[in-house]
């Protein structure tokens, strides 16, 4: 009985790995947890295989939706690049949802941070805030 249980657990783990490897975000700009001096101009996402980007939202530290020109497209691609408006200093969270060619949906989320553009990067003081 114990032997059977072990097999079931192993099979579940293998299946999870397969689902994870299916298609996912491999690169972004700004990168996950990146700290920027000043507003980024674009939000760029690279996925491991062609997908449809069905949802993409950007929220500031106060939970406000930042409007930019994202519209879901019918064509699949593994790269997406969207112009951003001027972002004020805050922490931002990006949420995305993709649909693979087999209609498999996957979503994820990452954060980045915009600091005031400074003459000297060394003036940046981390005592006032934290990053996660
Ligand atoms: Cu910082």
């Amino acid at each position: 009985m114990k032997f059977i249980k072990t097999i079931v657990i192993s099979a579940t783990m293998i299946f999870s790995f397969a689902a994870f490897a299916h298609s996912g975000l491999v690169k972004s700009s700004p990168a996950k947890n990146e700290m920027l001096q000043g507003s980024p101009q674009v939000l760029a996402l690279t996925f491991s295989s062609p997908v449809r980007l069905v949802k993409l939202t950007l929220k500031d530290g106060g939970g406000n939706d930042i409007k930019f020109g994202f519209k879901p497209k019918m064509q699949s691609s593994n790269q997406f690049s969207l112009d951003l408006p001027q972002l004020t200093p805050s922490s931002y969270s990006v949420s995305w949802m993709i649909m693979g060619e087999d209609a498999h949906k996957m979503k994820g989320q990452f954060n980045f941070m915009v600091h005031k553009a400074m003459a000297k990067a060394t003036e940046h003081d981390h005592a006032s805030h934290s990053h996660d």
Side-chain angles (χ1 to χ4, degrees):
M1 199 57 199
K2 194 179 178 224
F3 179 62
I4 292 168
K5 211 171 172 182
T6 308
I7 291 171
V8 171
I9 291 166
S10 305
T12 308
M13 281 176 70
I14 290 162
F15 181 77
S16 310
F17 275 120
F20 186 73
H22 189 87
S23 54
L25 186 66
V26 289
K27 206 173 83 180
S28 70
S29 176
K32 183 183 178 185
N33 296 332
E34 187 173 357
M35 274 198 282
L36 301 155
Q37 304 285 332
S39 180
Q41 299 198 321
V42 294
L43 174 59
L45 303 174
T46 305
F47 294 94
S48 56
S49 59
V51 293
R52 278 175 55 199
L53 188 58
V54 293
K55 207 175 138 190
L56 184 64
T57 60
L58 178 64
K59 282 187 160 79
D60 69 13
N64 304 302
D65 258 306
I66 308 297
K67 289 200 167 59
F68 59 106
F70 173 71
K71 284 196 188 79
K73 287 196 181 76
M74 290 307 287
Q75 313 94 286
S76 294
S77 175
N78 54 357
Q79 279 191 305
F80 299 90
S81 179
L82 294 123
D83 291 329
L84 291 175
Q86 183 73 27
L87 300 180
T88 54
S90 182
S91 61
Y92 289 90
S93 106
V94 177
S95 297
W96 52 264
M97 187 161 83
I98 56 172
M99 197 186 278
E101 274 156 356
D102 57 355
H104 179 99
K105 268 187 193 167
M106 190 175 172
K107 57 185 177 178
Q109 187 263 337
F110 65 92
N111 299 316
F112 66 89
M113 199 164 183
V114 176
H115 285 294
K116 276 198 209 83
M118 276 177 274
K120 276 185 262 172
T122 49
E123 283 171 27
H124 180 68
D125 173 22
H126 272 115
S128 61
H129 59 275
S130 63
H131 304 107
D132 50 3

